[in-house]
Amino acid sequence: SGVTIFGKAGTALSAQPLKTNQTICYDAAGAVVACAGTGQDGQYLAGVARSYTDPVNGTITDNSTGLMWKKCSGGLSGAPCTTGTASTYTWINALAQCEADTTASFTDWRLPNVYELSTLVDFGVAAAPFINATYFPATQSNYYWSATTDPASYTSAMDVDFNVGFANGNGKANVFYVRCVRG
């Protein structure tokens, strides 16, 4: 079900949201319970399956959304993202950092909007950071900037906190991590 839309180079994408990857159900006290009849996410497993490709050039292609991501957080490099130090930036500097990036010889990198960045949150992992660490190693359990200004306060921008897996707004002068996107 859902509408088929087309991404780069005619790639068919579903208009359905992505799966959270949460497959276990819990009662109100936090104990694991059988999912049948609970109405929880783990019962329905709704959404499009996540799928990534690593072309081994410092990028990760999200086959479900059609977006291409930098494999490493800003300041890190190498196949396991262990060279360098994960860097933090003010919001203005985060925007500039992605705009100037030339990873894999692409010159159209940008800071993702909050919805794009939120697609990387994976609630199926056992502990923070809530992201697929196979494809996005060394991700910090912390805030990552988006390009979206907070509609409740224009001096703030939206970020995604991979320590808890949700988006919120913070002052643009704060320093947070960056993961650039293209597409």
Side-chain angles (χ1 to χ4, degrees):
S1 301
V3 177
T4 300
I5 56 177
F6 292 91
K8 285 197 175 259
T11 305
L13 304 172
S14 173
Q16 294 289 323
L18 294 171
K19 289 181 181 285
T20 64
N21 283 343
Q22 193 170 80
T23 59
I24 300 170
C25 297
Y26 304 88
D27 66 14
V32 174
V33 297
C35 287
T38 65
Q40 294 182 42
D41 189 16
Q43 175 183 348
Y44 292 107
L45 306 173
V48 175
R50 294 163 183 269
S51 171
Y52 299 107
T53 300
D54 183 349
V56 195
N57 65 356
T59 70
I60 299 295
T61 299
D62 184 330
N63 303 309
S64 302
T65 65
L67 295 170
M68 179 182 284
W69 294 93
K70 284 196 58 177
K71 181 175 187 167
C72 301
S73 300
L76 295 174
S77 62
C81 301
T82 55
T83 302
T85 303
S87 301
T88 56
Y89 305 86
T90 64
W91 184 70
I92 291 294
N93 289 340
L95 291 164
Q97 177 69 23
C98 287
E99 292 289 325
D101 200 291
T102 58
T103 297
S105 298
F106 293 111
T107 58
D108 58 348
W109 292 102
R110 60 184 173 79
L111 197 61
N113 72 44
V114 70
Y115 291 137
E116 292 169 326
L117 188 57
S118 294
T119 67
L120 296 180
V121 174
D122 187 336
F123 290 109
V125 298
F130 293 104
I131 192 168
N132 186 319
T134 299
Y135 291 100
F136 301 101
T139 296
Q140 304 302 298
S141 294
N142 213 311
Y143 300 109
Y144 279 71
W145 281 124
S146 82
T148 308
T149 290
D150 185 344
S153 172
Y154 301 140
T155 60
S156 295
M158 301 302 294
D159 58 69
V160 172
D161 183 354
F162 287 95
N163 187 52
V164 293
F166 69 84
N168 59 90
N170 272 293
K172 293 177 178 178
N174 287 319
V175 291
F176 298 139
Y177 296 97
V178 170
R179 174 162 279 113
C180 305
V181 70
R182 59 183 299 272

Short mmCIF file of all heavy atoms in Angstrom, two decimals, residues 11-41:
data_model
loop_
_atom_site.label_atom_id
_atom_site.label_comp_id
_atom_site.label_asym_id
_atom_site.label_seq_id
_atom_site.Cartn_x
_atom_site.Cartn_y
_atom_site.Cartn_z
N THR A 11 14.58 6.00 -9.22
CA THR A 11 14.46 4.97 -8.19
C THR A 11 13.09 5.06 -7.53
O THR A 11 12.70 6.12 -7.06
CB THR A 11 15.55 5.16 -7.11
OG1 THR A 11 16.82 5.18 -7.74
CG2 THR A 11 15.49 4.06 -6.08
N ALA A 12 12.35 3.96 -7.53
CA ALA A 12 11.02 3.96 -6.90
C ALA A 12 11.17 3.95 -5.38
O ALA A 12 11.92 3.16 -4.82
CB ALA A 12 10.23 2.74 -7.35
N LEU A 13 10.48 4.86 -4.73
CA LEU A 13 10.48 4.96 -3.27
C LEU A 13 9.05 4.92 -2.80
O LEU A 13 8.15 5.40 -3.47
CB LEU A 13 11.13 6.27 -2.82
CG LEU A 13 12.54 6.54 -3.32
CD1 LEU A 13 12.95 7.96 -2.97
CD2 LEU A 13 13.49 5.55 -2.72
N SER A 14 8.82 4.38 -1.63
CA SER A 14 7.48 4.35 -1.06
C SER A 14 7.23 5.62 -0.27
O SER A 14 8.14 6.15 0.36
CB SER A 14 7.34 3.14 -0.14
OG SER A 14 6.11 3.19 0.54
N ALA A 15 5.99 6.09 -0.30
CA ALA A 15 5.63 7.26 0.49
C ALA A 15 5.27 6.89 1.92
O ALA A 15 4.88 7.72 2.70
CB ALA A 15 4.47 8.00 -0.18
N GLN A 16 5.40 5.61 2.27
CA GLN A 16 5.13 5.15 3.63
C GLN A 16 6.30 5.55 4.53
O GLN A 16 7.44 5.62 4.09
CB GLN A 16 4.99 3.63 3.66
CG GLN A 16 3.77 3.12 2.92
CD GLN A 16 2.51 3.45 3.67
OE1 GLN A 16 2.47 3.42 4.90
NE2 GLN A 16 1.48 3.80 2.95
N PRO A 17 6.04 5.77 5.83
CA PRO A 17 7.16 6.05 6.75
C PRO A 17 8.02 4.80 6.93
O PRO A 17 7.60 3.69 6.63
CB PRO A 17 6.46 6.42 8.06
CG PRO A 17 5.02 6.14 7.88
CD PRO A 17 4.75 5.84 6.45
N LEU A 18 9.22 5.01 7.44
CA LEU A 18 10.13 3.90 7.69
C LEU A 18 9.72 3.14 8.94
O LEU A 18 9.13 3.70 9.87
CB LEU A 18 11.55 4.42 7.88
CG LEU A 18 12.18 5.06 6.66
CD1 LEU A 18 13.50 5.72 7.03
CD2 LEU A 18 12.39 4.04 5.56
N LYS A 19 10.09 1.86 8.99
CA LYS A 19 9.90 1.07 10.20
C LYS A 19 10.77 1.66 11.31
O LYS A 19 11.85 2.18 11.05
CB LYS A 19 10.33 -0.38 9.97
CG LYS A 19 9.43 -1.18 9.08
CD LYS A 19 9.97 -2.61 8.96
CE LYS A 19 9.11 -3.44 8.05
NZ LYS A 19 7.85 -3.85 8.62
N THR A 20 10.30 1.54 12.55
CA THR A 20 11.12 1.97 13.67
C THR A 20 12.16 0.91 14.01
O THR A 20 13.13 1.18 14.69
CB THR A 20 10.27 2.21 14.94
OG1 THR A 20 9.70 0.97 15.34
CG2 THR A 20 9.21 3.26 14.70
N ASN A 21 11.92 -0.32 13.57
CA ASN A 21 12.72 -1.52 13.87
C ASN A 21 12.51 -2.01 15.30
O ASN A 21 13.22 -2.88 15.77
CB ASN A 21 14.21 -1.32 13.60
CG ASN A 21 14.51 -1.40 12.12
OD1 ASN A 21 13.71 -1.91 11.33
ND2 ASN A 21 15.67 -0.91 11.72
N GLN A 22 11.50 -1.50 15.99
CA GLN A 22 11.19 -1.99 17.32
C GLN A 22 10.32 -3.25 17.18
O GLN A 22 9.24 -3.20 16.60
CB GLN A 22 10.45 -0.94 18.13
CG GLN A 22 10.37 -1.27 19.59
CD GLN A 22 9.86 -0.10 20.40
OE1 GLN A 22 8.68 0.14 20.45
NE2 GLN A 22 10.79 0.62 21.03
N THR A 23 10.82 -4.37 17.68
CA THR A 23 10.14 -5.66 17.52
C THR A 23 9.75 -6.29 18.84
O THR A 23 9.13 -7.34 18.87
CB THR A 23 11.03 -6.66 16.75
OG1 THR A 23 12.25 -6.82 17.48
CG2 THR A 23 11.34 -6.15 15.34
N ILE A 24 10.10 -5.67 19.94
CA ILE A 24 9.80 -6.19 21.28
C ILE A 24 8.72 -5.31 21.90
O ILE A 24 8.71 -4.10 21.71
CB ILE A 24 11.07 -6.20 22.16
CG1 ILE A 24 12.14 -7.11 21.52
CG2 ILE A 24 10.76 -6.66 23.58
CD1 ILE A 24 13.50 -7.00 22.18
N CYS A 25 7.81 -5.92 22.66
CA CYS A 25 6.73 -5.17 23.32
C CYS A 25 6.93 -5.23 24.83
O CYS A 25 7.52 -6.17 25.36
CB CYS A 25 5.37 -5.75 22.92
SG CYS A 25 5.04 -5.60 21.15
N TYR A 26 6.40 -4.20 25.52
CA TYR A 26 6.62 -4.06 26.95
C TYR A 26 5.30 -3.71 27.65
O TYR A 26 4.45 -3.04 27.07
CB TYR A 26 7.63 -2.95 27.24
CG TYR A 26 8.94 -3.16 26.52
CD1 TYR A 26 9.14 -2.67 25.23
CD2 TYR A 26 9.97 -3.86 27.12
CE1 TYR A 26 10.34 -2.88 24.57
CE2 TYR A 26 11.18 -4.07 26.46
CZ TYR A 26 11.35 -3.58 25.18
OH TYR A 26 12.53 -3.79 24.53
N ASP A 27 5.19 -4.09 28.92
CA ASP A 27 4.03 -3.66 29.70
C ASP A 27 4.35 -2.32 30.36
O ASP A 27 5.44 -1.76 30.15
CB ASP A 27 3.60 -4.73 30.72
CG ASP A 27 4.62 -4.98 31.82
OD1 ASP A 27 5.56 -4.18 32.01
OD2 ASP A 27 4.46 -5.99 32.54
N ALA A 28 3.42 -1.79 31.14
CA ALA A 28 3.59 -0.48 31.76
C ALA A 28 4.77 -0.43 32.73
O ALA A 28 5.34 0.63 32.97
CB ALA A 28 2.31 -0.06 32.47
N ALA A 29 5.16 -1.58 33.28
CA ALA A 29 6.29 -1.63 34.22
C ALA A 29 7.62 -1.85 33.50
O ALA A 29 8.66 -1.90 34.14
CB ALA A 29 6.06 -2.75 35.24
N GLY A 30 7.57 -2.00 32.16
CA GLY A 30 8.80 -2.18 31.39
C GLY A 30 9.20 -3.62 31.18
O GLY A 30 10.27 -3.89 30.65
N ALA A 31 8.35 -4.58 31.59
CA ALA A 31 8.66 -6.00 31.39
C ALA A 31 8.29 -6.40 29.96
O ALA A 31 7.29 -5.93 29.40
CB ALA A 31 7.89 -6.86 32.39
N VAL A 32 9.09 -7.28 29.37
CA VAL A 32 8.82 -7.78 28.03
C VAL A 32 7.56 -8.64 28.05
O VAL A 32 7.38 -9.47 28.94
CB VAL A 32 10.02 -8.60 27.50
CG1 VAL A 32 9.70 -9.25 26.16
CG2 VAL A 32 11.26 -7.72 27.39
N VAL A 33 6.68 -8.40 27.06
CA VAL A 33 5.45 -9.17 26.93
C VAL A 33 5.30 -9.62 25.49
O VAL A 33 5.93 -9.07 24.58
CB VAL A 33 4.19 -8.35 27.35
CG1 VAL A 33 4.26 -7.97 28.82
CG2 VAL A 33 4.04 -7.11 26.48
N ALA A 34 4.46 -10.63 25.26
CA ALA A 34 4.15 -11.05 23.90
C ALA A 34 3.46 -9.89 23.19
O ALA A 34 2.62 -9.20 23.78
CB ALA A 34 3.24 -12.28 23.93
N CYS A 35 3.80 -9.65 21.94
CA CYS A 35 3.28 -8.49 21.21
C CYS A 35 1.83 -8.66 20.74
O CYS A 35 1.11 -7.67 20.61
CB CYS A 35 4.16 -8.20 20.00
SG CYS A 35 5.76 -7.47 20.44
N ALA A 36 1.38 -9.88 20.51
CA ALA A 36 0.04 -10.10 19.97
C ALA A 36 -1.02 -9.43 20.84
O ALA A 36 -1.06 -9.61 22.05
CB ALA A 36 -0.24 -11.60 19.87
N GLY A 37 -1.85 -8.62 20.21
CA GLY A 37 -2.96 -7.98 20.90
C GLY A 37 -2.62 -6.74 21.70
O GLY A 37 -3.49 -6.14 22.31
N THR A 38 -1.36 -6.30 21.69
CA THR A 38 -0.97 -5.13 22.49
C THR A 38 -1.23 -3.81 21.77
O THR A 38 -1.34 -2.77 22.41
CB THR A 38 0.52 -5.16 22.87
OG1 THR A 38 1.31 -5.06 21.66
CG2 THR A 38 0.88 -6.41 23.65
N GLY A 39 -1.25 -3.85 20.44
CA GLY A 39 -1.39 -2.62 19.67
C GLY A 39 -0.10 -1.83 19.56
O GLY A 39 -0.07 -0.74 19.00
N GLN A 40 0.99 -2.37 20.11
CA GLN A 40 2.27 -1.68 20.09
C GLN A 40 2.95 -1.81 18.74
O GLN A 40 2.61 -2.66 17.92
CB GLN A 40 3.18 -2.24 21.19
CG GLN A 40 2.69 -1.95 22.59
CD GLN A 40 3.63 -2.49 23.64
OE1 GLN A 40 4.84 -2.38 23.51
NE2 GLN A 40 3.07 -3.06 24.69
N ASP A 41 3.93 -0.99 18.53
CA ASP A 41 4.71 -0.99 17.30
C ASP A 41 5.26 -2.38 16.98
O ASP A 41 5.23 -2.82 15.84
CB ASP A 41 5.86 0.02 17.44
CG ASP A 41 6.61 0.27 16.15
OD1 ASP A 41 6.11 -0.07 15.07
OD2 ASP A 41 7.71 0.83 16.23
#
